[in-house]
Amino acid sequence: MYDFGSLSDLPKSELYEELARAATALVDGETDAVANMANLSALIWQFVPDLNWAGFYRRIEDELVLGPFMGKPACIRIPLGAGVCGAAAASGETQLVPDVHAFPGHIACDAASRSELVVPVIVEGGVVAVIDLDSPLPGRFDEEDAQGFARLAAIAANVLA
Ligand code: SME
């Protein structure tokens, strides 16, 4: 139904441009948060290379609760401040972790994960969710990935209010 071609062949700068375009089209006119998070997870999984987990945790009171994702079954509840996701949710700051084994309190949902990027989804100044990306490659994510996913988080923010 949605055919976005082969974005994964593009250089990183163009990949995130096209991914933002595709994400905008995908959520256009749809207000159901679960449906939008599910489709955004699938889009990321299809086009962003070298991931072993990609998806959402939603902030519910003092916890993050697992949302739609692609990858292996994962930890369901993460206290705010715990692990990489909890650090992103508590601080409202993107967490770029080149080596998860060096991150104090990292929560290993999939033993294959070696690096991680977590981007907060912010609505009206508050974190409502995080986008979590795990890779089996050490140092998989850089500042360009962080900026690219910040754009996706802004698109998600419009449909997760
Ligand atoms: N590694 C994360 C937990 C979530 S899983 O990676 C899907 C963390 O430390 O918060």
Side-chain angles (χ1 to χ4, degrees):
M1 182 177 177
Y2 296 103
D3 184 0
F4 296 112
S6 51
L7 303 185
S8 44
D9 294 340
L10 296 173
K12 207 182 265 190
S13 58
E14 291 172 43
L15 167 69
Y16 286 116
E17 188 65 39
E18 290 305 315
L19 204 57
R21 215 186 301 272
T24 302
L26 204 48
V27 301
D28 183 46
E30 180 52 67
T31 56
D32 187 274
V34 172
N36 284 326
M37 287 187 281
N39 256 346
L40 290 173
S41 299
L43 185 74
I44 295 165
W45 189 252
Q46 188 174 356
F47 294 115
V48 179
D50 301 321
L51 301 180
N52 61 314
W53 204 91
F56 289 80
Y57 278 90
R58 300 154 301 131
R59 183 182 175 164
I60 298 176
E61 297 174 355
D62 290 338
E63 289 182 314
L64 290 172
V65 182
L66 185 63
F69 69 95
M70 303 291 282
K72 288 186 178 171
C75 328
I76 297 171
R77 292 176 186 270
I78 298 175
L80 278 192
V84 186
C85 292
S91 65
E93 305 281 344
T94 291
Q95 304 291 309
L96 204 170
V97 181
D99 175 3
V100 294
H101 297 141
F103 188 94
H106 167 254
I107 300 163
C109 291
D110 181 344
S113 298
R114 296 294 308 279
S115 58
E116 185 160 358
L117 175 65
V118 183
V119 181
V121 178
I122 297 175
V123 175
E124 291 173 1
V127 175
V128 299
V130 299
I131 302 177
D132 182 20
L133 296 317
D134 284 24
S135 174
L137 306 180
R140 157 68 182 80
F141 305 103
D142 62 15
E143 196 50 43
E144 206 170 356
D145 297 295
Q147 296 297 330
F149 277 103
R151 288 182 70 182
L152 279 196
I155 293 163
N158 289 327
V159 290
L160 298 190

PDB file of all heavy atoms in Angstrom, residues 57-67 74-80 82-83 85-86 107 109:
ATOM      1  N   TYR A  57       9.003   3.868  23.259  1.00  0.00           N
ATOM      2  CA  TYR A  57       8.525   3.727  24.635  1.00  0.00           C
ATOM      3  C   TYR A  57       7.718   4.985  24.936  1.00  0.00           C
ATOM      4  O   TYR A  57       8.124   6.090  24.577  1.00  0.00           O
ATOM      5  CB  TYR A  57       9.691   3.623  25.622  1.00  0.00           C
ATOM      6  CG  TYR A  57      10.274   2.238  25.728  1.00  0.00           C
ATOM      7  CD1 TYR A  57      11.314   1.839  24.902  1.00  0.00           C
ATOM      8  CD2 TYR A  57       9.785   1.322  26.659  1.00  0.00           C
ATOM      9  CE1 TYR A  57      11.854   0.571  24.982  1.00  0.00           C
ATOM     10  CE2 TYR A  57      10.323   0.041  26.747  1.00  0.00           C
ATOM     11  CZ  TYR A  57      11.351  -0.326  25.913  1.00  0.00           C
ATOM     12  OH  TYR A  57      11.883  -1.593  26.001  1.00  0.00           O
ATOM     13  N   ARG A  58       6.558   4.799  25.585  1.00  0.00           N
ATOM     14  CA  ARG A  58       5.701   5.938  25.912  1.00  0.00           C
ATOM     15  C   ARG A  58       5.858   6.304  27.372  1.00  0.00           C
ATOM     16  O   ARG A  58       5.937   5.415  28.239  1.00  0.00           O
ATOM     17  CB  ARG A  58       4.240   5.577  25.630  1.00  0.00           C
ATOM     18  CG  ARG A  58       3.993   5.208  24.177  1.00  0.00           C
ATOM     19  CD  ARG A  58       2.813   4.290  24.025  1.00  0.00           C
ATOM     20  NE  ARG A  58       2.988   3.050  24.763  1.00  0.00           N
ATOM     21  CZ  ARG A  58       2.073   2.538  25.588  1.00  0.00           C
ATOM     22  NH1 ARG A  58       0.919   3.142  25.776  1.00  0.00           N
ATOM     23  NH2 ARG A  58       2.313   1.415  26.228  1.00  0.00           N
ATOM     24  N   ARG A  59       5.887   7.593  27.659  1.00  0.00           N
ATOM     25  CA  ARG A  59       5.954   8.016  29.060  1.00  0.00           C
ATOM     26  C   ARG A  59       4.560   7.958  29.677  1.00  0.00           C
ATOM     27  O   ARG A  59       3.632   8.610  29.216  1.00  0.00           O
ATOM     28  CB  ARG A  59       6.500   9.430  29.180  1.00  0.00           C
ATOM     29  CG  ARG A  59       6.627   9.787  30.644  1.00  0.00           C
ATOM     30  CD  ARG A  59       7.099  11.165  30.895  1.00  0.00           C
ATOM     31  NE  ARG A  59       7.043  11.387  32.336  1.00  0.00           N
ATOM     32  CZ  ARG A  59       7.650  12.360  32.957  1.00  0.00           C
ATOM     33  NH1 ARG A  59       8.383  13.203  32.279  1.00  0.00           N
ATOM     34  NH2 ARG A  59       7.549  12.494  34.253  1.00  0.00           N
ATOM     35  N   ILE A  60       4.431   7.144  30.716  1.00  0.00           N
ATOM     36  CA  ILE A  60       3.171   7.058  31.448  1.00  0.00           C
ATOM     37  C   ILE A  60       3.511   7.243  32.925  1.00  0.00           C
ATOM     38  O   ILE A  60       4.178   6.402  33.524  1.00  0.00           O
ATOM     39  CB  ILE A  60       2.451   5.720  31.189  1.00  0.00           C
ATOM     40  CG1 ILE A  60       2.118   5.620  29.680  1.00  0.00           C
ATOM     41  CG2 ILE A  60       1.186   5.600  32.035  1.00  0.00           C
ATOM     42  CD1 ILE A  60       1.483   4.321  29.253  1.00  0.00           C
ATOM     43  N   GLU A  61       3.122   8.391  33.461  1.00  0.00           N
ATOM     44  CA  GLU A  61       3.478   8.791  34.826  1.00  0.00           C
ATOM     45  C   GLU A  61       4.997   8.702  35.007  1.00  0.00           C
ATOM     46  O   GLU A  61       5.722   9.318  34.241  1.00  0.00           O
ATOM     47  CB  GLU A  61       2.668   7.985  35.841  1.00  0.00           C
ATOM     48  CG  GLU A  61       1.172   8.297  35.675  1.00  0.00           C
ATOM     49  CD  GLU A  61       0.265   7.450  36.541  1.00  0.00           C
ATOM     50  OE1 GLU A  61       0.741   6.539  37.225  1.00  0.00           O
ATOM     51  OE2 GLU A  61      -0.942   7.714  36.496  1.00  0.00           O
ATOM     52  N   ASP A  62       5.477   7.921  35.985  1.00  0.00           N
ATOM     53  CA  ASP A  62       6.919   7.912  36.248  1.00  0.00           C
ATOM     54  C   ASP A  62       7.669   6.782  35.560  1.00  0.00           C
ATOM     55  O   ASP A  62       8.762   6.392  35.982  1.00  0.00           O
ATOM     56  CB  ASP A  62       7.162   7.811  37.762  1.00  0.00           C
ATOM     57  CG  ASP A  62       6.769   9.100  38.452  1.00  0.00           C
ATOM     58  OD1 ASP A  62       6.736  10.148  37.766  1.00  0.00           O
ATOM     59  OD2 ASP A  62       6.483   9.058  39.656  1.00  0.00           O
ATOM     60  N   GLU A  63       7.075   6.255  34.508  1.00  0.00           N
ATOM     61  CA  GLU A  63       7.700   5.126  33.818  1.00  0.00           C
ATOM     62  C   GLU A  63       7.669   5.337  32.318  1.00  0.00           C
ATOM     63  O   GLU A  63       6.847   6.088  31.796  1.00  0.00           O
ATOM     64  CB  GLU A  63       6.910   3.836  34.078  1.00  0.00           C
ATOM     65  CG  GLU A  63       7.000   3.274  35.451  1.00  0.00           C
ATOM     66  CD  GLU A  63       6.214   1.972  35.545  1.00  0.00           C
ATOM     67  OE1 GLU A  63       5.066   1.914  35.070  1.00  0.00           O
ATOM     68  OE2 GLU A  63       6.766   1.022  36.112  1.00  0.00           O
ATOM     69  N   LEU A  64       8.523   4.586  31.637  1.00  0.00           N
ATOM     70  CA  LEU A  64       8.368   4.392  30.192  1.00  0.00           C
ATOM     71  C   LEU A  64       7.748   3.013  30.003  1.00  0.00           C
ATOM     72  O   LEU A  64       8.159   2.043  30.654  1.00  0.00           O
ATOM     73  CB  LEU A  64       9.719   4.440  29.490  1.00  0.00           C
ATOM     74  CG  LEU A  64      10.395   5.812  29.445  1.00  0.00           C
ATOM     75  CD1 LEU A  64      11.809   5.677  28.893  1.00  0.00           C
ATOM     76  CD2 LEU A  64       9.580   6.799  28.622  1.00  0.00           C
ATOM     77  N   VAL A  65       6.757   2.947  29.127  1.00  0.00           N
ATOM     78  CA  VAL A  65       6.086   1.678  28.847  1.00  0.00           C
ATOM     79  C   VAL A  65       6.251   1.372  27.361  1.00  0.00           C
ATOM     80  O   VAL A  65       6.093   2.259  26.507  1.00  0.00           O
ATOM     81  CB  VAL A  65       4.589   1.734  29.239  1.00  0.00           C
ATOM     82  CG1 VAL A  65       3.924   0.383  28.989  1.00  0.00           C
ATOM     83  CG2 VAL A  65       4.437   2.125  30.714  1.00  0.00           C
ATOM     84  N   LEU A  66       6.585   0.110  27.097  1.00  0.00           N
ATOM     85  CA  LEU A  66       6.850  -0.341  25.730  1.00  0.00           C
ATOM     86  C   LEU A  66       5.711   0.036  24.784  1.00  0.00           C
ATOM     87  O   LEU A  66       4.533  -0.151  25.111  1.00  0.00           O
ATOM     88  CB  LEU A  66       7.044  -1.866  25.744  1.00  0.00           C
ATOM     89  CG  LEU A  66       7.443  -2.546  24.443  1.00  0.00           C
ATOM     90  CD1 LEU A  66       8.809  -2.067  23.967  1.00  0.00           C
ATOM     91  CD2 LEU A  66       7.454  -4.066  24.633  1.00  0.00           C
ATOM     92  N   GLY A  67       6.073   0.543  23.624  1.00  0.00           N
ATOM     93  CA  GLY A  67       5.102   0.862  22.575  1.00  0.00           C
ATOM     94  C   GLY A  67       5.385   0.027  21.341  1.00  0.00           C
ATOM     95  O   GLY A  67       6.144  -0.939  21.395  1.00  0.00           O
ATOM     96  N   ALA A  74      10.896  -6.993  24.181  1.00  0.00           N
ATOM     97  CA  ALA A  74      11.777  -6.129  24.974  1.00  0.00           C
ATOM     98  C   ALA A  74      11.204  -5.885  26.365  1.00  0.00           C
ATOM     99  O   ALA A  74      10.046  -6.234  26.653  1.00  0.00           O
ATOM    100  CB  ALA A  74      11.979  -4.809  24.246  1.00  0.00           C
ATOM    101  N   CYS A  75      12.024  -5.248  27.221  1.00  0.00           N
ATOM    102  CA  CYS A  75      11.590  -4.865  28.562  1.00  0.00           C
ATOM    103  C   CYS A  75      10.319  -4.016  28.431  1.00  0.00           C
ATOM    104  O   CYS A  75      10.261  -3.131  27.576  1.00  0.00           O
ATOM    105  CB  CYS A  75      12.631  -4.000  29.252  1.00  0.00           C
ATOM    106  SG  CYS A  75      14.308  -4.370  28.788  1.00  0.00           S
ATOM    107  N   ILE A  76       9.343  -4.275  29.280  1.00  0.00           N
ATOM    108  CA  ILE A  76       8.046  -3.593  29.134  1.00  0.00           C
ATOM    109  C   ILE A  76       8.048  -2.244  29.847  1.00  0.00           C
ATOM    110  O   ILE A  76       7.594  -1.248  29.299  1.00  0.00           O
ATOM    111  CB  ILE A  76       6.907  -4.491  29.659  1.00  0.00           C
ATOM    112  CG1 ILE A  76       6.846  -5.758  28.805  1.00  0.00           C
ATOM    113  CG2 ILE A  76       5.569  -3.755  29.603  1.00  0.00           C
ATOM    114  CD1 ILE A  76       5.910  -6.826  29.337  1.00  0.00           C
ATOM    115  N   ARG A  77       8.572  -2.216  31.078  1.00  0.00           N
ATOM    116  CA  ARG A  77       8.529  -0.966  31.855  1.00  0.00           C
ATOM    117  C   ARG A  77       9.932  -0.547  32.274  1.00  0.00           C
ATOM    118  O   ARG A  77      10.697  -1.371  32.783  1.00  0.00           O
ATOM    119  CB  ARG A  77       7.642  -1.141  33.093  1.00  0.00           C
ATOM    120  CG  ARG A  77       6.184  -1.316  32.737  1.00  0.00           C
ATOM    121  CD  ARG A  77       5.302  -1.584  33.948  1.00  0.00           C
ATOM    122  NE  ARG A  77       3.950  -1.883  33.493  1.00  0.00           N
ATOM    123  CZ  ARG A  77       3.009  -0.959  33.316  1.00  0.00           C
ATOM    124  NH1 ARG A  77       3.259   0.305  33.598  1.00  0.00           N
ATOM    125  NH2 ARG A  77       1.801  -1.295  32.879  1.00  0.00           N
ATOM    126  N   ILE A  78      10.256   0.731  32.071  1.00  0.00           N
ATOM    127  CA  ILE A  78      11.557   1.283  32.444  1.00  0.00           C
ATOM    128  C   ILE A  78      11.302   2.519  33.303  1.00  0.00           C
ATOM    129  O   ILE A  78      10.635   3.458  32.857  1.00  0.00           O
ATOM    130  CB  ILE A  78      12.368   1.683  31.181  1.00  0.00           C
ATOM    131  CG1 ILE A  78      12.635   0.444  30.301  1.00  0.00           C
ATOM    132  CG2 ILE A  78      13.659   2.373  31.563  1.00  0.00           C
ATOM    133  CD1 ILE A  78      13.318   0.753  28.965  1.00  0.00           C
ATOM    134  N   PRO A  79      11.804   2.540  34.538  1.00  0.00           N
ATOM    135  CA  PRO A  79      11.614   3.734  35.370  1.00  0.00           C
ATOM    136  C   PRO A  79      12.312   4.945  34.745  1.00  0.00           C
ATOM    137  O   PRO A  79      13.375   4.803  34.133  1.00  0.00           O
ATOM    138  CB  PRO A  79      12.282   3.359  36.706  1.00  0.00           C
ATOM    139  CG  PRO A  79      12.430   1.878  36.672  1.00  0.00           C
ATOM    140  CD  PRO A  79      12.547   1.473  35.234  1.00  0.00           C
ATOM    141  N   LEU A  80      11.715   6.138  34.914  1.00  0.00           N
ATOM    142  CA  LEU A  80      12.361   7.361  34.432  1.00  0.00           C
ATOM    143  C   LEU A  80      13.748   7.453  35.043  1.00  0.00           C
ATOM    144  O   LEU A  80      13.909   7.227  36.248  1.00  0.00           O
ATOM    145  CB  LEU A  80      11.562   8.593  34.846  1.00  0.00           C
ATOM    146  CG  LEU A  80      10.361   8.983  34.003  1.00  0.00           C
ATOM    147  CD1 LEU A  80       9.891  10.373  34.408  1.00  0.00           C
ATOM    148  CD2 LEU A  80      10.683   8.931  32.522  1.00  0.00           C
ATOM    149  N   ALA A  82      16.248   5.464  34.371  1.00  0.00           N
ATOM    150  CA  ALA A  82      16.967   4.187  34.288  1.00  0.00           C
ATOM    151  C   ALA A  82      17.332   3.874  32.841  1.00  0.00           C
ATOM    152  O   ALA A  82      16.530   4.087  31.926  1.00  0.00           O
ATOM    153  CB  ALA A  82      16.117   3.063  34.861  1.00  0.00           C
ATOM    154  N   GLY A  83      18.537   3.356  32.653  1.00  0.00           N
ATOM    155  CA  GLY A  83      18.974   2.947  31.326  1.00  0.00           C
ATOM    156  C   GLY A  83      19.093   4.131  30.372  1.00  0.00           C
ATOM    157  O   GLY A  83      18.965   5.298  30.760  1.00  0.00           O
ATOM    158  N   CYS A  85      17.132   4.740  27.703  1.00  0.00           N
ATOM    159  CA  CYS A  85      15.807   5.313  27.421  1.00  0.00           C
ATOM    160  C   CYS A  85      15.347   6.206  28.563  1.00  0.00           C
ATOM    161  O   CYS A  85      14.838   7.315  28.331  1.00  0.00           O
ATOM    162  CB  CYS A  85      14.781   4.202  27.196  1.00  0.00           C
ATOM    163  SG  CYS A  85      15.069   3.266  25.686  1.00  0.00           S
ATOM    164  N   GLY A  86      15.522   5.711  29.787  1.00  0.00           N
ATOM    165  CA  GLY A  86      15.093   6.493  30.949  1.00  0.00           C
ATOM    166  C   GLY A  86      15.885   7.785  31.089  1.00  0.00           C
ATOM    167  O   GLY A  86      15.342   8.813  31.523  1.00  0.00           O
ATOM    168  N   ILE A 107      20.215  -1.050  30.021  1.00  0.00           N
ATOM    169  CA  ILE A 107      19.324  -2.204  30.182  1.00  0.00           C
ATOM    170  C   ILE A 107      19.429  -3.059  28.927  1.00  0.00           C
ATOM    171  O   ILE A 107      19.078  -2.600  27.831  1.00  0.00           O
ATOM    172  CB  ILE A 107      17.871  -1.737  30.404  1.00  0.00           C
ATOM    173  CG1 ILE A 107      17.787  -0.861  31.661  1.00  0.00           C
ATOM    174  CG2 ILE A 107      16.934  -2.922  30.496  1.00  0.00           C
ATOM    175  CD1 ILE A 107      16.521  -0.031  31.763  1.00  0.00           C
ATOM    176  N   CYS A 109      18.112  -5.456  26.674  1.00  0.00           N
ATOM    177  CA  CYS A 109      16.923  -6.215  26.254  1.00  0.00           C
ATOM    178  C   CYS A 109      17.317  -7.275  25.240  1.00  0.00           C
ATOM    179  O   CYS A 109      16.759  -8.354  25.212  1.00  0.00           O
ATOM    180  CB  CYS A 109      15.886  -5.283  25.635  1.00  0.00           C
ATOM    181  SG  CYS A 109      15.151  -4.168  26.841  1.00  0.00           S
TER     182      CYS A 109
END
